[in-house]
């Protein structure tokens, strides 16, 4: 196995490995997992594996989860088909900096995404290192956000374009989740800036120490949240990956955000993703 870091901040390409073999080889899987914790996102080319091997490899990390809106492959629960074509409108959620499903009380640990078909150019995906984003914050900001918590909503994102009845039913199924603004990675111990496009507001900002008058709540909290969310936009924290058929990305959803560039219509882009059940952020 060969490992080539792609940036100084995040991401490495590994070669000489077949993920179908890694699904059945405990030692090889352990090496890949250690590299994932180090680099936060791993990339592989030429992974001509079937859906069963894709699911089997991802399941080595933990049990897989379905997506309530995107759905799963009927023969492989937990494998979400993300197929884009000229007849299917853009869904407006992939091309925003986000951490997958933070609207869940227990967001995914990570994902294994395989490209089935893609345009000859365009449709890249970017990832950002949110542990580094926290590390580089000014100390005064770190003090301000210590102990802050925030809400994350599926209703305000996936549900927003639905008829009101469906939107409210979706919220009833998945009530807004509350997470720490700075979470601790359960395996590395890193502090991670944990707000993204699914984050709607802070839940414990309105205290006597922070707010003189009611208007301060809206202005101060909103400005701070926008600033924190914008940290993912900094190129020095990012890696960009150009897809080819049978390319795979494996990412740690606890310590990263990602952005799928939607610059390829009217071309076709077919991706298959296995999301791994994670742990409650703390």
């Amino acid at each position: 196995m060969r490992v080539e870091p792609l940036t100084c901040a995040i991401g490495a390409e590994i070669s000489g490995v077949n993920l179908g073999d890694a699904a059945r080889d405990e030692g090889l899987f352990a090496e890949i997992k250690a590299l994932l914790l180090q680099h936060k996102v791993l990339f592989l080319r030429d992974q001509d594996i079937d859906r069963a091997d894709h699911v089997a490899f991802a399941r080595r990390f933990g049990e897989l989860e379905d997506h309530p809106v995107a759905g799963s492959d009927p023969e492989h629960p937990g494998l979400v088909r993300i197929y884009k074509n000229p007849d299917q409108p853009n869904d407006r959620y992939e091309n925003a900096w986000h951490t997958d499903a933070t609207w869940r009380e227990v967001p995914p640990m990570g994902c294994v995404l395989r490209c089935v078909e893609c345009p000859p150019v365009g449709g890249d995906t970017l990832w950002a290192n949110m542990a580094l984003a926290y590390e580089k914050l000014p100390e005064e900001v770190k003090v301000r956000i210590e102990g802050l918590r925030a809400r994350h909503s599926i209703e305000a994102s996936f549900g927003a374009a639905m008829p009101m009845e469906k939107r409210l039913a979706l919220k009833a199924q998945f009530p807004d989740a509350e997470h720490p603004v700075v979470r601790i990675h359960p395996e590395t111990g890193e502090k991670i800036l944990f707000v993204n496009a699914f984050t709607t507001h802070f839940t414990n900002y309105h205290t006597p120490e922070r707010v003189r008058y009611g208007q301060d709540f809206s202005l101060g909290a909103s400005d701070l949240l926008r600033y924190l969310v914008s940290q993912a936009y900094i190129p020095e924290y990012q890696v960009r990956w150009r897809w080819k058929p049978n390319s795979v990305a494996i990412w740690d959803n606890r310590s990263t955000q990602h952005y799928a560039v939607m610059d390829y219509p009217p071309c076709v882009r077919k991706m298959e993703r296995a999301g791994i059940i994670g742990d409650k952020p703390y």
Side-chain angles (χ1 to χ4, degrees):
M1 182 167 59
R2 295 177 297 281
V3 182
E4 179 185 358
L6 297 184
T7 75
C8 296
I10 180 174
E13 182 174 352
I14 60 176
S15 54
V17 174
N18 179 276
L19 294 183
D21 295 336
R24 295 176 284 272
D25 186 323
E26 185 172 344
L28 180 56
F29 173 78
E31 287 186 62
I32 293 173
K33 183 177 180 181
L35 288 169
L36 180 63
L37 292 176
Q38 177 184 354
H39 295 286
K40 297 181 172 50
V41 56
L42 301 176
F43 304 103
L44 302 92
R45 299 284 190 193
D46 305 319
Q47 297 297 306
D48 188 12
I49 57 176
D50 59 22
R51 287 174 174 167
D53 276 343
H54 183 168
V55 167
F57 172 76
R59 194 167 276 131
R60 291 299 300 260
F61 290 97
E63 289 302 311
L64 306 186
E65 65 179 22
D66 291 327
H67 194 286
V69 177
S72 294
D73 181 83
E75 296 180 6
H76 301 91
L79 190 69
V80 178
R81 293 178 293 187
I82 307 171
Y83 290 5
K84 306 291 183 185
N85 61 65
D87 300 321
Q88 184 175 4
N90 295 339
D91 61 14
R92 310 178 308 285
Y93 306 118
E94 293 176 65
N95 60 331
W97 281 105
H98 66 285
T99 299
D100 280 338
T102 57
W103 38 262
R104 292 186 187 270
E105 286 292 334
V106 179
M109 166 262 154
C111 293
V112 181
L113 180 66
R114 176 173 171 266
C115 176
V116 177
E117 183 181 350
C118 60
V121 65
D124 299 350
T125 305
L126 295 86
W127 282 262
N129 180 342
M130 299 313 294
L132 184 61
Y134 173 79
E135 178 188 330
K136 296 294 187 181
L137 286 174
E139 289 301 319
E140 62 178 326
V141 175
K142 292 180 181 178
V143 171
R144 287 181 68 192
I145 65 177
E146 184 70 28
L148 271 184
R149 299 181 65 82
R151 285 280 168 81
H152 300 242
S153 175
I154 190 173
E155 180 198 20
S157 51
F158 286 96
M162 295 179 177
M164 185 172 67
E165 294 79 8
K166 288 188 176 181
R167 173 170 57 80
L168 294 177
L170 185 65
K171 184 176 182 178
Q173 184 182 3
F174 296 98
D176 291 354
E178 182 178 304
H179 301 305
V181 169
V182 181
R183 73 168 293 180
I184 306 298
H185 194 289
E187 295 185 83
T188 67
E190 294 170 296
K191 287 188 172 184
I192 296 152
L193 185 58
F194 202 63
V195 291
N196 66 87
F198 294 127
T199 309
T200 57
H201 63 282
F202 299 129
T203 53
N204 62 337
Y205 185 87
H206 200 292
T207 63
E209 295 78 20
R210 294 190 179 98
V211 178
R212 299 162 301 166
Y213 303 101
Q215 188 169 341
D216 288 356
F217 167 65
S218 176
L219 296 178
S222 298
D223 289 348
L224 178 58
L225 180 56
R226 280 196 294 269
Y227 170 75
L228 295 176
V229 168
S230 75
Q231 297 306 296
Y233 311 164
I234 297 174
E236 284 81 358
Y237 305 159
Q238 300 172 1
V239 63
R240 183 169 182 143
W241 178 247
R242 183 171 183 178
W243 293 102
K244 296 179 181 178
N246 292 327
S247 296
V248 170
I250 309 163
W251 70 90
D252 188 331
N253 197 57
R254 300 163 294 189
S255 58
T256 62
Q257 290 189 38
H258 56 283
Y259 185 116
V261 180
M262 209 168 284
D263 60 352
Y264 53 88
C267 296
V268 173
R269 184 177 185 264
K270 295 183 178 181
M271 315 292 284
E272 295 182 350
R273 186 190 73 198
I276 303 128
I277 294 174
D279 54 278
K280 187 174 176 61
Y282 62 89

